[in-house]
Each structure stands twice: as C-alpha cells, then as structure tokens.
Amino acid sequence: MHDASTRQQPEVDVRPARARGRRSTVAGATALAVAGATVAAAAALLPTAHAAEPEPLRDAAARHGRTVGVALSPGHLSQPGYAAIAEREFSLVVAENAMKWDATEPSRGQFSWSQADQVADFATRHDTELYGHTLVWHSQLPGWVDGISDPADLRDAMTDHVAAVAGRYAGQVDAWDVVNEMWDEDGTRRDSVFQRVLGDGYIAEALHAARAADPQADLCLNDYNIEGINAKSNAMYDLVADLKADGVPVDCVGLQAHLIGGQVPSTLQANLQRFADLGVDVRLTELDIRVPVPASAASLTQQAADYRAVTEACLAVERCTGITVWGVDDGHSWVPDVFPGQGAALLWDASYQPKPAYTAFAAAWGADPGDGGPTDPPTDPPADGDCAVTWTANAWATGYTGSVTVTNTSGVAWPSWTLEAELPAGQRLDQGWSAAWSQSGPTLSAVNAAWNGSVAAGASVSVGYNASHTGDTSAPDAVTVNGAACAIG
Ligand code: G3I
C-alpha cells in the first residue's frame, strides 16, 4: 500500500494476483469502516461456525484484513511440531536470519540464496505473504562491509546489495525492512559503518535503491523500543515525516515489539496511530514477550493479557497491517541467549503446546476456539452504548479544565481502553493526566495509563486535561471508547 504522493511508479497494481487478492481484503475492511456499516462490519468479524479444532490464527486475522506472521528458520522445518504450527497458523513469513546480509552476501559479490529461497518457497507453498528482513543493518553484517571507509565504495556496496537481494525476490516480497535499527535509545543516530561513512542520508539512499530494485514492495523502516511514545519513537516519527515531505519512498514503519511481561507501553495504540496519520502502514514486526524462567503461572497469565493488549492496539488502528511473532516456540527463541534468566516469550512452549498467550492472542483476533462453545465474550466487537461518559468543563477566558469519567457499561471487563472525542472548533489540548492524551485535527484521543487500563464491567475511570479555547467551551457531542459510541450524560 504505497502512498500515492511518494510513489514513483504508475498507479496500476502490477502485483502478482496472490498479492492483489490479499490487498483487496484490507481495502474491503476499510471500505466497510468508511461506510460506517457498523452492523455489517461487526458481523464480518465474527467466526461463522464452531469447529472441533481451534481456528487458525491466519483465518481469524483475515476477517480483519490483517496478517499474523512468524519468523521462520528453515533449518527447524525438519521438526514436525515446528513445521505443523508454521504451516497451519500464519499468513505471513519472514526469515529470522536467512535474508540478512551475512547470510546472502558473505563475500563481496558472492551471493548465497539457499536458506533465503527456502523461506520464499515456504511462502509460495503455503500461500502466505513474504516479508523481507533486512537489507541494511549494522548487525549480522559481514566484516568486508564494516571495513569499507570510502563513501563511494560503501555506497556501491550498499546499492549493489539492495539491488541483488530485493531484485531476486521482486514481485514476491510484500514489504521489506529496508533499514533496521538506526536509532540509539536517546533518539540520536546509532553508530554504524553506514552512518559514519555515508552520513544521515544513507537511509534515503537505501530506500531509493530498494524502490528501484522492487517497485511493488512496500518499504519499511524497523526498530525496537519504539512501541511507546518516547525519544526513540519521536526520532523515527520525525524521520518518516521528513522523508515523506522530501518525496523519499517510505511506506511503513515496523515496531519490533520485543516486550517484557507486564510492560506493554500504555501509549502503544496512540503511537501506532500517529505514525499511521503520517500516511504509512504500521506493523508489530517481531513480537515476543519475555518473562523470568522458569515461568510461573502468574507470569504466563500476565503475558497472555499482554499479547491480547498488543493485538487490541493493532486492531484499533486501521493502518496496522498485522502482527508477526518472532519465532514459533519457546525452544527456538533468541531471548534466553541474549537475556539469561528470561525467556518463554512466544505462543507455544518448547514442546509445541499452546500457552495461555496463544489462547489470549487467538481470542483477541476473534478466532473460534473450537470447543463448540461461544467465542470468548471479550472478543465480541464493541457495540454502541457499551460505555457512558460524563464531561464537564471548568472554564476561564482562554482555557478550561476538562473532567471526564468513563463507565464501562458493556457487561465485560475492558483490558484497555481508548477514548476519542470530536472537540468543538477552537479547542486545543494543552496537556492531560491519567492517560496518554493527543489531538489530531479536532479529534482528541486518550489511551489508558498502565495502571488504569483494566476497567471491570460497571466500573468507571476518571481522567482530565487542560485545553485552550476561542470562546466555545462546550463538551463534545460524540465520544467513543474502543470504537463504540458512548452515552453522554
Ligand atoms: O549460524 C551460526 C551457527 O553456525 C553457529 O554454530 C552458532 C553458534 O552460536 O551461531 C549461529 O548463528 C547464530 C544465528 O542467530 C543463527 O542461529 C548467531 O550466533 C546468533 O547471534 C543469531 O542470532 C540472531 C540475532 O537476530 C542476531 O542479531 C537471532 O537468531 C535472531 O532471532 C535475531 O533477530 C533480531 C532481528 O533480526 C532484529 N531485531 C532483533 C531480533 C532479536 O535479536
């Protein structure tokens, strides 16, 4: 889904039929939402029939026009448990390591495709999307690249690599992580041979090279610790805004989401939305949620709630194309190697048994659990009237303090909540409390804080904000929580 303003190619969709078909699913979901066909859309989100087996994640996600992906290591496919899950559950695959620079071009101009081709073949055989990871990255970079100090030489090496790898899978890869992990935690550029030798412009150069090599693939920038609103995600946000303004082809932002149990950022949804508002797709590209090992029942329950919260945040953002988990099972995860004492971060355990996280994740997508019973109640789409809100303003000449109390009248607990309201003309948010507040045009948004996301059925949560005004201090006449219209008292 390229943005028309930056796209260099004709608008005709020349993707393979497989890709065009998938895109139309998302377009269909969008059209429904735009048409405001709430009832029809809600019906489309519900499973049609209960089956004996749990519904594959890919089928549930398809009803939302999204994909659920997995990082695949082809060497593990010889293990039947690993292969069975990978083949059944996912609608997107990404090579965990096989398309990286050290795997594809270990010596200059000498390409090695066998592992990468296995991942691409898997995608073809199982009719999944193929996500490319990654073209330009400081890590898993062969020594010959790290040793280049001449800018022209490095530019040639980078553009040749991008041309060869993106060119080989052109027409098959749906989206590429063109540049990976370019930021330090404080939002300054990470040191790398590309940054040192080519300077800030290397990212735009890599994007242009990728577009030339594969005009159909979406081009993404990807990083970790940018899931919440913070210095690092602000830097990514500013970069994407600048690239768009300069006409550089960038279509998507990947938020890796290597998370810690109990620490899903409260600003995740608002952060996804602000990137989407720049005109790019967003995706959780490498989700795993680590806990101390051996994992306790309590930590696995928390982890399940976290998987659910991440999914709900993605589903609440129209341009969130889906979620990729970074591996099939806990026995094949990078986490314990890098974080000793932590692990158990994925949806299946090391014996390929589904964990509470799988159950919660599947329920959040609305998958039929296959037990013959009703779908887990919280997966029902929110309905208008599931909330009630009181909204008062304590005003002075140019400003006012808004006090908002939201009551959950849905009959089921909210694990998280997002409030949206259309402010009357002239009202501008200054700052708020007890939630992550933002304003885009007239739309005021508040996303729960970490401590008040969970709202039991019948319970209320109170938040507030300060705003400026130009005379009209009236309350909004339309308020939604989690997408459902609230009664305003
Ligand atoms: O292939 C060699 C093998 O021959 C050797 O015997 C073995 C000894 O340790 O190492 C093997 O290479 C390992 C490789 O994974 C393949 O298994 C590397 O040591 C190991 O460092 C490498 O780790 C990968 C890591 O990226 C490298 O940075 C992980 O599998 C992979 O999951 C991880 O993925 C990254 C994403 O690409 C970017 N975002 C973060 C994410 C997690 O770190």
Side-chain angles (χ1 to χ4, degrees), residues 6 8 135-136 155 158-159 162 178-180 182-183 189 194-195 198-213 219-221 236 238-251:
T6 57
Q8 297 179 329
L135 296 171
V136 178
R155 184 168 289 116
M158 183 177 81
T159 52
V162 170
V178 177
V179 182
N180 191 38
M182 62 290 275
W183 301 111
R189 287 291 184 94
F194 306 106
Q195 183 68 37
L198 299 178
D200 285 352
Y202 85 89
I203 292 176
E205 291 185 48
L207 288 162
H208 281 300
R211 179 52 50 88
L219 306 181
C220 310
L221 303 176
M236 183 71 104
D238 291 343
L239 172 66
V240 172
D242 288 347
L243 292 171
K244 299 282 283 183
D246 292 346
V248 177
V250 58
D251 306 302

Side-chain angles (χ1 to χ4, degrees), residues 71 73 76 95-97 100 102 133-134 137 139-140 177 180-181 222-224 256 258 286 288 326 332-335 337-339:
S73 288
H76 303 330
E96 184 174 2
N97 290 297
K100 294 173 179 174
D102 64 351
H133 176 82
T134 174
W137 185 29
S139 182
Q140 287 175 284
D177 285 336
N180 191 38
E181 298 176 4
N222 192 53
D223 213 325
Y224 61 91
Q256 293 185 6
H258 295 294
E286 304 182 13
D288 50 31
W326 203 244
H332 295 101
S333 165
W334 68 288
V335 171
D337 291 340
V338 176
F339 296 101

Side-chain angles (χ1 to χ4, degrees), residues 36-85:
T38 315
V39 174
L45 298 179
L46 291 171
T48 49
H50 291 287
E53 289 288 307
E55 181 183 35
L57 297 171
R58 60 185 288 163
D59 295 345
R63 283 196 297 279
H64 300 271
R66 328 271 177 134
T67 52
V68 177
V70 67
L72 203 68
S73 288
H76 303 330
L77 285 169
S78 57
Q79 297 170 33
Y82 183 98
I85 292 170

Side-chain angles (χ1 to χ4, degrees), residues 159-179:
T159 52
D160 288 351
H161 180 76
V162 170
V165 180
R168 182 175 181 85
Y169 300 104
Q172 201 182 353
V173 162
D174 294 89
W176 268 107
D177 285 336
V178 177
V179 182

Side-chain angles (χ1 to χ4, degrees), residues 112-131:
S112 161
W113 303 116
S114 63
Q115 295 273 310
D117 281 356
Q118 286 180 53
V119 178
D121 291 347
F122 181 98
T124 303
R125 277 186 285 114
H126 300 289
D127 191 27
T128 73
E129 292 197 11
L130 179 62
Y131 192 96

Side-chain angles (χ1 to χ4, degrees), residues 231-324:
K232 199 171 179 180
S233 65
N234 287 345
M236 183 71 104
Y237 179 88
D238 291 343
L239 172 66
V240 172
D242 288 347
L243 292 171
K244 299 282 283 183
D246 292 346
V248 177
V250 58
D251 306 302
C252 33
V253 171
L255 303 91
Q256 293 185 6
H258 295 294
L259 302 178
I260 298 171
Q263 296 183 33
V264 176
S266 61
T267 51
L268 173 62
Q269 184 182 323
N271 191 39
L272 291 169
Q273 188 62 57
R274 72 172 176 156
F275 279 105
D277 291 343
L278 286 177
V280 290
D281 288 341
V282 287
R283 181 174 191 90
L284 286 319
T285 49
E286 304 182 13
L287 178 62
D288 50 31
I289 304 180
R290 56 186 183 267
V291 297
V293 286
S296 66
S299 69
L300 293 178
T301 301
Q302 176 64 55
Q303 180 189 58
D306 295 338
Y307 267 97
R308 180 171 203 132
V310 171
T311 307
E312 288 173 346
C314 176
L315 283 172
V317 175
E318 194 176 312
R319 291 195 75 148
C320 183
T321 60
I323 297 177
T324 300

